[in-house]
Amino acid sequence: HVKVLHAWKQYIQSVETMEFVLADETGQKIHATCKQTYIESKGRILTVGAWRYIRNFQITPAGGTYRTTDHTWKIVFNQNTAVSRSNHVNDELYLNLSDFQTVLSGTLDENFLIDVLGQVLDCGGVENIQCTGGKQRKKLEFTLSDIKINDDDKTLTSFQSNEDNNKQVAQSGKRGQRDKWLLFPTKSIYEMITSTQVSSY
């Protein structure tokens, strides 16, 4: 019984798969993959935010770089896999947020993707770039600042593309469009997580 946290299509050597990050009711996350053969029959019902029952699947060891969870195993759908709806409702996002200082220290395991929460200072347009093998990918660059704003704050510049996944590097002093984004009051990550009032920040 799992909640679908993320879903995306992936192409490796022209082979299409549907990838998922799932979480159980305790917040334990696991990666799941669905081959192209089963995307229409099984993958399409796994919509982000929905709770589902999944039965009769295979598990294989999880490994490699850019892993979405720290789970030892990965779910693999097969022809016997059954996906059914659940009426369970839970708005929990199951994020494992890392603070900026820890990310910028370089001590985190580079094999795992990282969750951060920050304020967008500037965001460039979507660009098409030429990648290895002659394929074109979309690229988006943006700068995140920690919620705490001060003179020596740290920012993360994120580069995202289908080819290179996410890479984060330290950059300080890049203010960009900060004034535009400061029209709203700022809140700490703790205040955001524990907030109960609906508002814009």
Side-chain angles (χ1 to χ4, degrees):
H1 188 220
V2 293
K3 181 176 183 176
V4 183
L5 301 183
H6 303 289
W8 69 97
K9 285 188 178 179
Q10 183 169 287
Y11 301 88
I12 298 178
Q13 297 176 349
S14 302
V15 176
E16 178 184 359
T17 60
M18 194 80 184
E19 306 295 317
F20 304 93
V21 177
L22 310 173
D24 65 16
E25 292 176 52
T26 68
Q28 178 67 49
K29 292 188 276 193
I30 190 168
H31 188 109
T33 186
C34 179
K35 294 179 181 175
Q36 185 175 11
T37 311
Y38 310 120
I39 290 176
E40 185 60 29
S41 60
K42 305 170 196 310
R44 67 178 175 80
I45 195 173
L46 290 166
T47 53
V48 173
W51 283 87
R52 297 291 184 252
Y53 293 103
I54 304 175
R55 297 178 179 85
N56 304 323
F57 50 83
Q58 293 174 291
I59 58 168
T60 61
T65 56
Y66 302 118
R67 287 172 57 184
T68 57
T69 77
D70 61 0
H71 204 291
T72 309
W73 301 97
K74 179 171 77 169
I75 291 175
V76 179
F77 292 5
N78 59 40
Q79 63 181 1
N80 297 317
T81 301
V83 180
S84 55
R85 298 180 187 278
S86 166
N87 293 326
H88 187 69
V89 177
N90 180 342
D91 293 331
E92 178 63 52
L93 297 176
Y94 298 115
L95 290 173
N96 297 325
L97 295 173
S98 298
D99 64 86
F100 279 34
Q101 293 295 347
T102 305
V103 174
L104 296 170
S105 71
T107 58
L108 296 175
D109 190 334
E110 293 182 1
N111 289 322
F112 297 95
L113 298 178
I114 302 165
D115 293 334
V116 296
L117 175 66
Q119 181 183 32
V120 178
L121 299 183
D122 58 68
C123 185
V126 177
E127 300 175 41
N128 290 316
I129 58 171
Q130 202 72 23
C131 294
T132 311
K135 293 186 178 181
Q136 280 205 342
R137 298 284 191 245
K138 295 188 183 302
K139 178 181 103 169
L140 177 65
E141 287 187 12
F142 55 94
T143 304
L144 290 179
S145 176
D146 200 350
I147 300 300
K148 295 177 288 185
I149 304 294
N150 54 47
D151 290 336
D152 58 351
D153 70 327
K154 296 286 188 180
T155 62
L156 292 180
T157 298
S158 292
F159 170 88
Q160 182 179 21
S161 77
N162 290 340
E163 179 76 5
D164 295 314
N165 292 299
N166 295 334
K167 295 179 182 175
Q168 296 162 331
V169 297
Q171 178 180 344
S172 61
K174 185 173 180 183
R175 299 297 184 243
Q177 300 172 358
R178 169 171 287 189
D179 293 342
K180 183 169 76 174
W181 294 104
L182 290 179
L183 294 175
F184 300 103
T186 58
K187 295 287 181 185
S188 69
I189 291 174
Y190 177 77
E191 288 172 310
M192 293 291 287
I193 292 171
T194 58
S195 65
T196 55
Q197 180 181 356
V198 177
S199 205
S200 297
Y201 296 107

